[in-house]
Amino acid sequence: MAIPWETIGREARDAGCYMVLMRLPRGARATVGSLGRLTLPEGYYLYVGSAGRSLTKRMERHIRKGGAVHRHIDCLKPYADRCDD
């Protein structure tokens, strides 16, 4: 039986902390989890998170527009014109 050492090694290293920087070009009103409806002024927003595994997939998900809302930063994505990792 062949052991996929390359895949195992990549997955074992695919964990850690990350930052997502978003820019809101103008103010917005958004519902943000249990915080409720908030007025968000224009500017830059920085989200810091961690992934125990699948860091690459987590970053790809954050950078995509749309999708399910799992984290507070997901509430800002519809209003942001920039999303960098």
Side-chain angles (χ1 to χ4, degrees):
M1 176 167 134
I3 298 173
W5 290 112
E6 183 178 318
T7 301
I8 291 170
R10 183 179 60 248
E11 291 296 321
R13 289 187 307 270
D14 197 22
C17 297
Y18 61 93
M19 293 188 286
V20 178
L21 178 65
M22 290 187 178
R23 185 175 82 89
L24 299 186
R26 58 194 152 279
R29 297 251 322 140
T31 302
V32 182
S34 62
L35 298 174
R37 193 113 172 113
L38 299 177
T39 299
L40 305 166
E42 70 178 74
Y44 288 89
Y45 290 79
L46 181 67
Y47 179 81
V48 179
S50 64
R53 59 189 168 90
S54 301
L55 177 62
T56 303
K57 289 186 188 298
R58 176 81 54 92
M59 289 303 306
E60 289 170 353
R61 185 187 166 289
H62 279 311
I63 291 170
R64 280 192 310 266
K65 288 276 191 172
V69 174
H70 293 290
R71 292 166 183 82
H72 288 100
I73 194 69
D74 296 332
C75 300
L76 275 66
K77 288 177 7 179
Y79 309 103
D81 69 350
R82 182 176 183 146
C83 184
D84 294 329
D85 61 334

